[in-house]
Amino acid sequence: MSTQPTLQLVAELTGHTDRVWAVSWHPTLPLFASCSGDKSVRLWKLDGGNGTWNCVSVLDDAHKRTIRSCAFSPDGRLLATASFDATTIVWERDEDSGEWENLATLEGHENEVKSVAWSQSGSLLATCSRDKSIWIWEVVGDSDFECLSVLQEHDQDVKMIKWHPNEEVLASASYDDSIRIWREDDDDWYCSDTLKEHKSTVWAVDFNKAGDMLASVSDDRSLKIWATRPPKNSALGYRQNPTYHCVATLTEHHSRTIYSVAWSKVNNLIATTGADNCVRIVAQQAAADASGGYTYAVCATLTAPHGYNDINSAEWCPLEKDGHGALLATAGDDGVVRVWRLI
Amino acid sequence: MSDTLLNANPVVYDVGLVSNRARRPEDEDENVADPFDAEEIFDLIRHINDPEHPLTLEQLNVTQPQLVSVDNDRNHVLVQFTPTIPHCSMATLIGLCIRVRLLRSLPDRFKVDIKVSDGSHQSEHAVNKQLNDKERVAAALENSHLLEVVNQCLATAVER
């Protein structure tokens, strides 16, 4: 008989002095970064000896305002941080001292940078802002970043961006209630798909492991699942791409705004968090049937794991070994980061 | 702020200075859980100063007790307000002042929604969306000039 999974508290990490906006896992180590309204980033690492999580670094001398988002590069060597101070900083770990140092400061956005993400190859970085634009940066040499393209088709703030796990395809979520998919063709970045089904701000998106599906969450309190369909006129050849179609909607999935969604690349479960203080875990119930229909349902809920506070972010650990893929880190308005294990 | 007032001659309403809320015996009883009611929330925001006039939001009828609702069991507060004119460009600033006042006064357990009252503003949807987007609010409150303006409007509310 199968039983419903539960989330067990592994660690409660204090140190931030303001709300924690986001967490980002290291790609190869049991380590993650958290960023906060206190203008700092903290790095938390598992001590393999006694199993405790400890703060191993504080990066607090660079950004002048809230740090909204952070992301490790795919090789784990660099950390990018996006701030309301309109800059994105790329940090590099000095192998000798172990200290993280400011490698480059990316300027160009007119105001708050809200999200930063590395492409799977690590050669591209994307940032987005309240100025409605998305910037694609190319890593040139060891420490230079060159802006390749500025994408300005959203009508309002771009809240969040996420790269496809295997291809150079970018998804963006916006205050204009839409999701856009961006692709490159002969050095030209263009919008290949606009997904307009949410009824309010789309706060976050995440791809599944294969990248052929997408999950999105919104101020309209719903979770939507999208799946690709092959292009209709592939014979034409010009910019014919798969398109994303909504295949499932969980309405009133949270009772207030949903802020984050994370689709595990290890266990295929989807974690969502929101202003209703809850964490919900969603599982696919059955494979796609002949009609293309999918069923998704909540299989676990944490009610108020950060007390009365909004939960701004939850991220699954990407490591498959040692059962680390069952770890989920959550960040809340209480300034606390918590690590959970799905059992 | 511009030199010409958006609404140069607003209607001023006669209001009392003290709370209309009658004291009740259970208010003094430490053993009784003390739920918030709409009048208490109204008392927190009625004396906020209008950004344009040396008058309170209550005197301009921008805030009204019947536009405040509290659900103690669900930890939810809804405050609606009515700008003096439907194209009032101060609406988001007024809403931000109300939000900050409640943020600083109410227990953490409350989730607060701030909206302009139905049909009272030509950009009702846009104003409501901005006032209830926590990221927009957080960024606004890091703007020291804007925060100073908010604090000036709140000074009259905190004195009482």
Side-chain angles (χ1 to χ4, degrees), chain A residues 29-54:
Chain A
L29 300 171
L31 178 157
F32 65 90
S34 59
C35 60
S36 161
D38 70 9
K39 309 177 186 68
S40 80
V41 170
R42 284 177 174 261
L43 302 186
W44 310 91
K45 192 174 187 212
L46 174 66
D47 181 332
N50 60 16
T52 61
W53 289 82
N54 302 301

PDB file of all heavy atoms in Angstrom, chain A residues 29-54:
ATOM      1  N   LEU A  29      27.480  20.204  -5.219  1.00  0.00           N
ATOM      2  CA  LEU A  29      27.767  20.034  -3.793  1.00  0.00           C
ATOM      3  C   LEU A  29      26.495  20.157  -2.963  1.00  0.00           C
ATOM      4  O   LEU A  29      25.549  20.813  -3.387  1.00  0.00           O
ATOM      5  CB  LEU A  29      28.748  21.129  -3.324  1.00  0.00           C
ATOM      6  CG  LEU A  29      30.119  21.177  -4.000  1.00  0.00           C
ATOM      7  CD1 LEU A  29      30.861  22.441  -3.584  1.00  0.00           C
ATOM      8  CD2 LEU A  29      30.926  19.933  -3.652  1.00  0.00           C
ATOM      9  N   PRO A  30      26.463  19.552  -1.774  1.00  0.00           N
ATOM     10  CA  PRO A  30      25.316  19.775  -0.879  1.00  0.00           C
ATOM     11  C   PRO A  30      25.432  21.158  -0.241  1.00  0.00           C
ATOM     12  O   PRO A  30      25.786  21.294   0.940  1.00  0.00           O
ATOM     13  CB  PRO A  30      25.439  18.636   0.143  1.00  0.00           C
ATOM     14  CG  PRO A  30      26.892  18.283   0.150  1.00  0.00           C
ATOM     15  CD  PRO A  30      27.430  18.599  -1.213  1.00  0.00           C
ATOM     16  N   LEU A  31      25.142  22.183  -1.018  1.00  0.00           N
ATOM     17  CA  LEU A  31      25.347  23.577  -0.621  1.00  0.00           C
ATOM     18  C   LEU A  31      24.338  24.426  -1.375  1.00  0.00           C
ATOM     19  O   LEU A  31      23.998  24.129  -2.515  1.00  0.00           O
ATOM     20  CB  LEU A  31      26.777  23.967  -0.998  1.00  0.00           C
ATOM     21  CG  LEU A  31      27.335  25.370  -0.764  1.00  0.00           C
ATOM     22  CD1 LEU A  31      28.865  25.272  -0.693  1.00  0.00           C
ATOM     23  CD2 LEU A  31      26.971  26.355  -1.860  1.00  0.00           C
ATOM     24  N   PHE A  32      23.818  25.476  -0.730  1.00  0.00           N
ATOM     25  CA  PHE A  32      22.940  26.395  -1.453  1.00  0.00           C
ATOM     26  C   PHE A  32      23.136  27.820  -0.959  1.00  0.00           C
ATOM     27  O   PHE A  32      23.701  28.063   0.101  1.00  0.00           O
ATOM     28  CB  PHE A  32      21.472  25.966  -1.349  1.00  0.00           C
ATOM     29  CG  PHE A  32      20.900  26.010   0.039  1.00  0.00           C
ATOM     30  CD1 PHE A  32      20.277  27.171   0.505  1.00  0.00           C
ATOM     31  CD2 PHE A  32      20.963  24.907   0.867  1.00  0.00           C
ATOM     32  CE1 PHE A  32      19.725  27.211   1.783  1.00  0.00           C
ATOM     33  CE2 PHE A  32      20.427  24.937   2.158  1.00  0.00           C
ATOM     34  CZ  PHE A  32      19.808  26.098   2.612  1.00  0.00           C
ATOM     35  N   ALA A  33      22.685  28.774  -1.793  1.00  0.00           N
ATOM     36  CA  ALA A  33      22.759  30.199  -1.468  1.00  0.00           C
ATOM     37  C   ALA A  33      21.364  30.713  -1.167  1.00  0.00           C
ATOM     38  O   ALA A  33      20.386  30.233  -1.727  1.00  0.00           O
ATOM     39  CB  ALA A  33      23.355  30.959  -2.642  1.00  0.00           C
ATOM     40  N   SER A  34      21.274  31.695  -0.260  1.00  0.00           N
ATOM     41  CA  SER A  34      20.005  32.373  -0.007  1.00  0.00           C
ATOM     42  C   SER A  34      20.256  33.875  -0.100  1.00  0.00           C
ATOM     43  O   SER A  34      21.324  34.350   0.289  1.00  0.00           O
ATOM     44  CB  SER A  34      19.463  32.006   1.375  1.00  0.00           C
ATOM     45  OG  SER A  34      20.379  32.367   2.389  1.00  0.00           O
ATOM     46  N   CYS A  35      19.273  34.626  -0.629  1.00  0.00           N
ATOM     47  CA  CYS A  35      19.461  36.075  -0.747  1.00  0.00           C
ATOM     48  C   CYS A  35      18.278  36.801  -0.134  1.00  0.00           C
ATOM     49  O   CYS A  35      17.172  36.269  -0.065  1.00  0.00           O
ATOM     50  CB  CYS A  35      19.659  36.478  -2.205  1.00  0.00           C
ATOM     51  SG  CYS A  35      18.292  36.050  -3.284  1.00  0.00           S
ATOM     52  N   SER A  36      18.516  38.045   0.307  1.00  0.00           N
ATOM     53  CA  SER A  36      17.570  38.659   1.230  1.00  0.00           C
ATOM     54  C   SER A  36      17.422  40.160   1.054  1.00  0.00           C
ATOM     55  O   SER A  36      18.260  40.830   0.430  1.00  0.00           O
ATOM     56  CB  SER A  36      18.055  38.342   2.654  1.00  0.00           C
ATOM     57  OG  SER A  36      17.496  39.198   3.616  1.00  0.00           O
ATOM     58  N   GLY A  37      16.369  40.688   1.661  1.00  0.00           N
ATOM     59  CA  GLY A  37      16.170  42.128   1.766  1.00  0.00           C
ATOM     60  C   GLY A  37      17.234  42.786   2.615  1.00  0.00           C
ATOM     61  O   GLY A  37      17.351  44.016   2.624  1.00  0.00           O
ATOM     62  N   ASP A  38      18.033  41.989   3.340  1.00  0.00           N
ATOM     63  CA  ASP A  38      19.131  42.569   4.138  1.00  0.00           C
ATOM     64  C   ASP A  38      20.377  42.829   3.286  1.00  0.00           C
ATOM     65  O   ASP A  38      21.440  43.150   3.824  1.00  0.00           O
ATOM     66  CB  ASP A  38      19.445  41.692   5.362  1.00  0.00           C
ATOM     67  CG  ASP A  38      20.098  40.359   4.996  1.00  0.00           C
ATOM     68  OD1 ASP A  38      20.481  40.149   3.825  1.00  0.00           O
ATOM     69  OD2 ASP A  38      20.224  39.508   5.895  1.00  0.00           O
ATOM     70  N   LYS A  39      20.250  42.705   1.963  1.00  0.00           N
ATOM     71  CA  LYS A  39      21.304  43.020   0.984  1.00  0.00           C
ATOM     72  C   LYS A  39      22.451  42.018   0.991  1.00  0.00           C
ATOM     73  O   LYS A  39      23.520  42.281   0.436  1.00  0.00           O
ATOM     74  CB  LYS A  39      21.871  44.432   1.186  1.00  0.00           C
ATOM     75  CG  LYS A  39      20.820  45.542   1.272  1.00  0.00           C
ATOM     76  CD  LYS A  39      21.482  46.889   1.542  1.00  0.00           C
ATOM     77  CE  LYS A  39      20.485  48.005   1.773  1.00  0.00           C
ATOM     78  NZ  LYS A  39      19.721  47.895   3.018  1.00  0.00           N
ATOM     79  N   SER A  40      22.249  40.875   1.637  1.00  0.00           N
ATOM     80  CA  SER A  40      23.327  39.878   1.690  1.00  0.00           C
ATOM     81  C   SER A  40      22.906  38.556   1.059  1.00  0.00           C
ATOM     82  O   SER A  40      21.717  38.271   0.892  1.00  0.00           O
ATOM     83  CB  SER A  40      23.751  39.635   3.143  1.00  0.00           C
ATOM     84  OG  SER A  40      22.844  38.758   3.784  1.00  0.00           O
ATOM     85  N   VAL A  41      23.947  37.778   0.716  1.00  0.00           N
ATOM     86  CA  VAL A  41      23.762  36.386   0.311  1.00  0.00           C
ATOM     87  C   VAL A  41      24.457  35.538   1.359  1.00  0.00           C
ATOM     88  O   VAL A  41      25.556  35.873   1.808  1.00  0.00           O
ATOM     89  CB  VAL A  41      24.399  36.126  -1.073  1.00  0.00           C
ATOM     90  CG1 VAL A  41      24.430  34.626  -1.386  1.00  0.00           C
ATOM     91  CG2 VAL A  41      23.643  36.869  -2.155  1.00  0.00           C
ATOM     92  N   ARG A  42      23.829  34.457   1.769  1.00  0.00           N
ATOM     93  CA  ARG A  42      24.471  33.519   2.689  1.00  0.00           C
ATOM     94  C   ARG A  42      24.593  32.168   1.991  1.00  0.00           C
ATOM     95  O   ARG A  42      23.675  31.744   1.289  1.00  0.00           O
ATOM     96  CB  ARG A  42      23.665  33.377   3.987  1.00  0.00           C
ATOM     97  CG  ARG A  42      23.839  34.574   4.896  1.00  0.00           C
ATOM     98  CD  ARG A  42      22.999  34.514   6.166  1.00  0.00           C
ATOM     99  NE  ARG A  42      23.369  35.641   7.014  1.00  0.00           N
ATOM    100  CZ  ARG A  42      24.217  35.564   8.050  1.00  0.00           C
ATOM    101  NH1 ARG A  42      24.722  34.396   8.414  1.00  0.00           N
ATOM    102  NH2 ARG A  42      24.537  36.643   8.744  1.00  0.00           N
ATOM    103  N   LEU A  43      25.730  31.519   2.178  1.00  0.00           N
ATOM    104  CA  LEU A  43      25.924  30.180   1.631  1.00  0.00           C
ATOM    105  C   LEU A  43      25.848  29.181   2.784  1.00  0.00           C
ATOM    106  O   LEU A  43      26.490  29.370   3.828  1.00  0.00           O
ATOM    107  CB  LEU A  43      27.286  30.072   0.933  1.00  0.00           C
ATOM    108  CG  LEU A  43      27.539  31.051  -0.216  1.00  0.00           C
ATOM    109  CD1 LEU A  43      28.858  30.727  -0.910  1.00  0.00           C
ATOM    110  CD2 LEU A  43      26.403  31.017  -1.227  1.00  0.00           C
ATOM    111  N   TRP A  44      25.049  28.143   2.576  1.00  0.00           N
ATOM    112  CA  TRP A  44      24.810  27.127   3.616  1.00  0.00           C
ATOM    113  C   TRP A  44      25.302  25.793   3.100  1.00  0.00           C
ATOM    114  O   TRP A  44      24.972  25.393   1.991  1.00  0.00           O
ATOM    115  CB  TRP A  44      23.317  27.050   3.934  1.00  0.00           C
ATOM    116  CG  TRP A  44      22.675  28.368   4.203  1.00  0.00           C
ATOM    117  CD1 TRP A  44      22.076  29.189   3.282  1.00  0.00           C
ATOM    118  CD2 TRP A  44      22.558  29.048   5.459  1.00  0.00           C
ATOM    119  NE1 TRP A  44      21.582  30.326   3.894  1.00  0.00           N
ATOM    120  CE2 TRP A  44      21.862  30.264   5.226  1.00  0.00           C
ATOM    121  CE3 TRP A  44      22.968  28.740   6.768  1.00  0.00           C
ATOM    122  CZ2 TRP A  44      21.568  31.176   6.243  1.00  0.00           C
ATOM    123  CZ3 TRP A  44      22.669  29.641   7.778  1.00  0.00           C
ATOM    124  CH2 TRP A  44      21.979  30.843   7.518  1.00  0.00           C
ATOM    125  N   LYS A  45      26.082  25.079   3.916  1.00  0.00           N
ATOM    126  CA  LYS A  45      26.676  23.831   3.465  1.00  0.00           C
ATOM    127  C   LYS A  45      26.425  22.712   4.466  1.00  0.00           C
ATOM    128  O   LYS A  45      26.442  22.930   5.686  1.00  0.00           O
ATOM    129  CB  LYS A  45      28.186  24.031   3.275  1.00  0.00           C
ATOM    130  CG  LYS A  45      28.848  22.876   2.542  1.00  0.00           C
ATOM    131  CD  LYS A  45      30.305  23.143   2.225  1.00  0.00           C
ATOM    132  CE  LYS A  45      30.820  22.024   1.342  1.00  0.00           C
ATOM    133  NZ  LYS A  45      32.217  21.722   1.554  1.00  0.00           N
ATOM    134  N   LEU A  46      26.205  21.536   3.926  1.00  0.00           N
ATOM    135  CA  LEU A  46      26.031  20.357   4.776  1.00  0.00           C
ATOM    136  C   LEU A  46      27.396  19.900   5.277  1.00  0.00           C
ATOM    137  O   LEU A  46      28.317  19.685   4.496  1.00  0.00           O
ATOM    138  CB  LEU A  46      25.357  19.249   3.968  1.00  0.00           C
ATOM    139  CG  LEU A  46      25.223  17.892   4.673  1.00  0.00           C
ATOM    140  CD1 LEU A  46      24.271  17.992   5.869  1.00  0.00           C
ATOM    141  CD2 LEU A  46      24.719  16.825   3.693  1.00  0.00           C
ATOM    142  N   ASP A  47      27.514  19.741   6.588  1.00  0.00           N
ATOM    143  CA  ASP A  47      28.712  19.153   7.177  1.00  0.00           C
ATOM    144  C   ASP A  47      28.504  17.646   7.179  1.00  0.00           C
ATOM    145  O   ASP A  47      27.697  17.118   7.947  1.00  0.00           O
ATOM    146  CB  ASP A  47      28.895  19.691   8.604  1.00  0.00           C
ATOM    147  CG  ASP A  47      30.159  19.136   9.265  1.00  0.00           C
ATOM    148  OD1 ASP A  47      30.572  18.002   8.904  1.00  0.00           O
ATOM    149  OD2 ASP A  47      30.731  19.819  10.121  1.00  0.00           O
ATOM    150  N   GLY A  48      29.213  16.963   6.255  1.00  0.00           N
ATOM    151  CA  GLY A  48      29.004  15.528   6.082  1.00  0.00           C
ATOM    152  C   GLY A  48      29.292  14.746   7.358  1.00  0.00           C
ATOM    153  O   GLY A  48      28.713  13.679   7.582  1.00  0.00           O
ATOM    154  N   GLY A  49      30.177  15.279   8.198  1.00  0.00           N
ATOM    155  CA  GLY A  49      30.561  14.590   9.422  1.00  0.00           C
ATOM    156  C   GLY A  49      29.405  14.424  10.391  1.00  0.00           C
ATOM    157  O   GLY A  49      29.071  13.302  10.792  1.00  0.00           O
ATOM    158  N   ASN A  50      28.757  15.537  10.749  1.00  0.00           N
ATOM    159  CA  ASN A  50      27.680  15.435  11.743  1.00  0.00           C
ATOM    160  C   ASN A  50      26.292  15.709  11.180  1.00  0.00           C
ATOM    161  O   ASN A  50      25.308  15.726  11.924  1.00  0.00           O
ATOM    162  CB  ASN A  50      27.975  16.360  12.938  1.00  0.00           C
ATOM    163  CG  ASN A  50      28.077  17.811  12.495  1.00  0.00           C
ATOM    164  OD1 ASN A  50      27.655  18.148  11.397  1.00  0.00           O
ATOM    165  ND2 ASN A  50      28.641  18.664  13.331  1.00  0.00           N
ATOM    166  N   GLY A  51      26.224  15.923   9.852  1.00  0.00           N
ATOM    167  CA  GLY A  51      24.906  16.080   9.237  1.00  0.00           C
ATOM    168  C   GLY A  51      24.240  17.427   9.484  1.00  0.00           C
ATOM    169  O   GLY A  51      23.060  17.574   9.195  1.00  0.00           O
ATOM    170  N   THR A  52      24.968  18.421   9.999  1.00  0.00           N
ATOM    171  CA  THR A  52      24.355  19.726  10.239  1.00  0.00           C
ATOM    172  C   THR A  52      24.614  20.670   9.067  1.00  0.00           C
ATOM    173  O   THR A  52      25.561  20.493   8.310  1.00  0.00           O
ATOM    174  CB  THR A  52      24.914  20.391  11.521  1.00  0.00           C
ATOM    175  OG1 THR A  52      26.324  20.580  11.364  1.00  0.00           O
ATOM    176  CG2 THR A  52      24.633  19.543  12.735  1.00  0.00           C
ATOM    177  N   TRP A  53      23.722  21.661   8.927  1.00  0.00           N
ATOM    178  CA  TRP A  53      23.874  22.688   7.891  1.00  0.00           C
ATOM    179  C   TRP A  53      24.426  23.945   8.536  1.00  0.00           C
ATOM    180  O   TRP A  53      23.915  24.404   9.562  1.00  0.00           O
ATOM    181  CB  TRP A  53      22.528  22.976   7.226  1.00  0.00           C
ATOM    182  CG  TRP A  53      22.071  21.844   6.359  1.00  0.00           C
ATOM    183  CD1 TRP A  53      21.426  20.701   6.762  1.00  0.00           C
ATOM    184  CD2 TRP A  53      22.255  21.719   4.937  1.00  0.00           C
ATOM    185  NE1 TRP A  53      21.192  19.880   5.674  1.00  0.00           N
ATOM    186  CE2 TRP A  53      21.684  20.484   4.549  1.00  0.00           C
ATOM    187  CE3 TRP A  53      22.829  22.532   3.964  1.00  0.00           C
ATOM    188  CZ2 TRP A  53      21.683  20.054   3.223  1.00  0.00           C
ATOM    189  CZ3 TRP A  53      22.825  22.116   2.644  1.00  0.00           C
ATOM    190  CH2 TRP A  53      22.255  20.875   2.281  1.00  0.00           C
ATOM    191  N   ASN A  54      25.484  24.512   7.948  1.00  0.00           N
ATOM    192  CA  ASN A  54      26.125  25.675   8.546  1.00  0.00           C
ATOM    193  C   ASN A  54      26.350  26.765   7.512  1.00  0.00           C
ATOM    194  O   ASN A  54      26.580  26.487   6.337  1.00  0.00           O
ATOM    195  CB  ASN A  54      27.492  25.281   9.135  1.00  0.00           C
ATOM    196  CG  ASN A  54      27.356  24.184  10.163  1.00  0.00           C
ATOM    197  OD1 ASN A  54      26.672  24.347  11.160  1.00  0.00           O
ATOM    198  ND2 ASN A  54      27.980  23.045   9.888  1.00  0.00           N
TER     199      ASN A  54
END
